[in-house]
Amino acid sequence: VQLQASGGGLVQAGGSLRLSCVASGFTFSYYVIGWFRQAPGKEREGVSCISSSGGSTEYAASVKGRFTISRDNGLNTVYLQMDNLRPEDTAVYYCARTNAPHCRVGGPAMRDYDYWGQGTQVTVSS
C-alpha cells in the first residue's frame, strides 16, 4: 500500500492550492480516504475525508466552506482543493487510508487510519 501526496507550496493569504494523493497497491475504490495536517509544535489533526464512491464528504469546522475534497477512482487519486487560504492553514498535509466504511462526522480521526502518505508542505504567508 502506498499513498503519495503532492501539490504543496508557498502561497499568499487568500490564495489557493490543490493537493493530490495518488494511491497504489490496493483497490482504491473500496476505501475511504482522509486528509490530515500537522503544524509545527501541534498535534496532527483531521481535515477532510471522502467516501469510497465520492458521494459523501466530511470537513473539520476550521476548513468547511474553504476546502473541497474529491476523488477520481479511475486515476486512484484524491484531491484537496484549498481556497481562501489563511496563515493558520500552514502545515504538512498528509493523506491516509482507513478500513472504516464511512467518514467520521466532523472530519477524520487519526486512530481510524492505518496507511499514510509522506506529506506535502503548505505554507501560507500573511
Side-chain angles (χ1 to χ4, degrees):
V1 173
Q2 287 194 321
L3 297 154
Q4 184 157 355
S6 63
L10 174 62
V11 64
Q12 289 189 331
S16 298
L17 282 173
R18 189 177 81 155
L19 306 184
S20 298
C21 173
V22 179
S24 61
F26 62 100
T27 306
F28 181 73
S29 61
Y30 287 2
Y31 290 88
V32 171
I33 302 294
W35 282 100
F36 295 78
R37 66 186 181 185
Q38 188 166 19
K42 294 189 176 181
E43 292 187 354
R44 195 171 298 188
E45 62 174 357
V47 173
S48 181
C49 56
I50 187 165
S51 64
S52 56
S53 68
S56 177
T57 58
E58 292 287 340
Y59 299 91
S62 57
V63 306
K64 202 166 188 178
R66 300 188 298 121
F67 290 12
T68 304
I69 192 170
S70 61
R71 68 191 293 161
D72 185 332
N73 285 344
L75 295 178
N76 284 8
T77 302
V78 170
Y79 304 99
L80 187 68
Q81 177 68 39
M82 306 186 296
D83 298 318
N84 192 20
L85 282 160
R86 303 168 179 169
E88 54 264 39
D89 295 318
T90 295
V92 178
Y93 283 71
Y94 301 87
C95 57
R97 189 196 84 170
T98 178
N99 286 315
H102 306 292
C103 280
R104 185 180 290 268
V105 174
M110 279 188 60
R111 62 183 179 273
D112 295 336
Y113 288 74
D114 53 0
Y115 288 96
W116 294 79
Q118 86 288 4
T120 185
Q121 175 70 48
V122 172
T123 303
V124 184
S125 63
S126 57

